[in-house]
């Protein structure tokens, strides 16, 4: 269990019924705005995928997927998804989604190795989206334009929910601030990466950190990324490495930054080979997903995930993600939250 934050004097602004209504309205309104802004159509996503195809997202490479044997497939094992980062790219190809358009789905995952706290649960729900692009779109400019479109959908949703519940007050700034992870490191060299995130978010309110996954000037990455979906090694038009990043928001209720989305332009053949070599994962080239990418049957794309429960938590000014979603929490956490006026579902 990670450190639990118990805001002093916390009192939920919405009761259980209003909270549930707020969650419904946020999810319905935001996904419609997201789909319109990015030209996405909804598809149905899987809860699990077959092991050994290279389709499941291995996150930072150390998290163990929940798995089970399939009786009618000779006990072939299936894995509950961590996210649909690679599956979506397969769907762009198989459904022949044209350039400039994309797909999105409700992704529901179980992450059994998650360290539980105010923001992290065993259960993960997010909007996973992916969009086909041209080679000339593989730029920082295109990435920033896409981030801004997503952020505008967040602003419109915040306005809606604050109109619906006047006791809530808007807190998002008008614009999102962009900074590369190396520039952030140089600005706060004495701080650990997460502390840098808190500092920059407190200053700007909404920040997109570019270049997550590759080594920085001190030889260490800002954060870990799997080598086979986001491109974190290509040198972009600004002269820095990486075509991906994280969108973070400052959250006064917990007095910290919150990562709301991880996204990026996806690897092409060259970036895949480079990143697999850098991480010692070249054996993955024999897997189904990686063979499809190398033989040119997958489109170039950009994509990411947006946390549903986290977004609802922030709009509704909740202190714990367990006020938004039903999950399993340690008995001691439930006891502490109850004493602090935080009603976990």
């Amino acid at each position: 269990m990670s450190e639990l934050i118990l805001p002093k004097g916390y009192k939920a602004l919405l009761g259980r019924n209003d909270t549930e209504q707020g969650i419904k309205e946020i999810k319905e309104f935001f996904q419609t705005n997201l789909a319109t802004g990015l030209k996405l159509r909804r598809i149905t996503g899987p809860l699990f995928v077959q092991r050994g195809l290279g389709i499941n997202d291995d996150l930072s490479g150390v998290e163990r997927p929940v798995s089970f044997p399939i009786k009618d497939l000779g006990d072939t094992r299936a894995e509950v998804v961590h996210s649909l980062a690679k599956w979506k790219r397969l769907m762009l190809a198989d459904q022949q989604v044209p350039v400039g358009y994309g797909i999105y789905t409700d992704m529901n995952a179980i992450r059994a190795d998650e360290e539980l706290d105010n923001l992290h649960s065993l259960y993960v729900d997010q909007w996973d989206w992916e969009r086909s692009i041209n080679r000339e779109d593989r730029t920082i400019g295109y990435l920033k334009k896409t981030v801004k479109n997503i952020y505008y959908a967040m602003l419109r949703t915040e306005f809606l929910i604050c109109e619906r519940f006047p006791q809530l007050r808007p807190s998002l700034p008008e614009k999102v601030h962009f900074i590369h992870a190396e520039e952030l490191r140089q600005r706060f060299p004495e701080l650990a990466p997460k502390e840098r995130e808190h500092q920059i978010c407190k200053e700007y309110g909404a920040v997109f950190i570019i270049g997550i996954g590759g080594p920085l000037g001190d030889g260490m990455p800002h954060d870990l990324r799997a080598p086979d979906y986001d491109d974190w090694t290509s040198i972009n038009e600004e002269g820095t490495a990486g075509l991906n990043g994280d969108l973070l928001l400052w959250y006064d209720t917990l007095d910290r930054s919150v990562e709301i989305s991880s996204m990026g332009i996806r690897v092409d053949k060259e970036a895949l080979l480079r990143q697999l070599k850098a991480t010692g994962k070249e054996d993955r080239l024999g897997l189904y997903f990686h063979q499809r990418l190398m033989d040119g049957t997958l489109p170039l794309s950009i994509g990411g995930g947006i946390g549903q429960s986290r977004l609802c938590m922030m709009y509704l000014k909740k202190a714990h993600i367990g006020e938004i979603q039903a999950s399993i929490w340690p008995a001691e956490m439930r006891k502490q939250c109850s004493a602090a006026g935080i009603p976990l579902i």
Side-chain angles (χ1 to χ4, degrees), residues 70-81:
I70 306 170
K71 180 180 178 181
D72 273 4
L73 293 181
D75 280 348
T76 295
R77 296 196 74 83
E79 294 179 347
V80 177
V81 297

Side-chain angles (χ1 to χ4, degrees), residues 51 56-67 79-82 110-114 122:
R51 175 182 286 181
N56 202 2
D57 176 6
D58 64 346
L59 301 175
S60 61
V62 297
E63 296 85 353
R64 300 168 300 171
V66 175
S67 67
E79 294 179 347
V80 177
V81 297
H82 277 151
I110 300 173
R111 297 182 182 173
D113 286 341
E114 202 73 82
L122 299 174

Side-chain angles (χ1 to χ4, degrees), residues 200-304:
I200 197 72
C201 274
K202 191 169 187 177
E203 181 176 348
Y204 289 99
V207 177
F208 188 83
I209 302 175
I210 300 168
I212 306 290
L216 304 179
D218 59 358
M220 300 297 294
H222 179 84
D223 201 355
L224 298 176
R225 280 293 181 277
D228 42 16
Y229 53 96
D230 280 353
D231 185 338
W232 38 262
T233 54
S234 290
I235 303 301
N236 56 58
E237 68 271 25
E238 296 179 352
T240 55
L243 294 168
N244 72 325
D246 288 345
L247 177 60
L248 300 106
L249 307 176
W250 180 254
Y251 191 37
D252 279 328
T253 301
L254 296 181
D255 193 37
R256 59 159 294 165
S257 63
V258 175
E259 179 191 319
I260 208 71
S261 177
S262 176
M263 58 172 287
I265 292 171
R266 307 309 200 184
V267 290
D268 58 8
K269 295 180 188 179
E270 294 75 19
L272 177 65
L273 289 172
R274 197 164 53 238
Q275 293 177 188
L276 289 178
K277 183 177 181 180
T279 55
K281 303 290 186 181
E282 292 168 288
D283 58 318
R284 294 188 185 182
L285 287 171
L287 299 176
Y288 173 73
F289 171 84
H290 303 74
Q291 290 180 341
R292 288 282 305 269
L293 179 52
M294 292 304 296
D295 68 17
T297 59
L298 296 184
L300 298 174
S301 68
I302 183 173

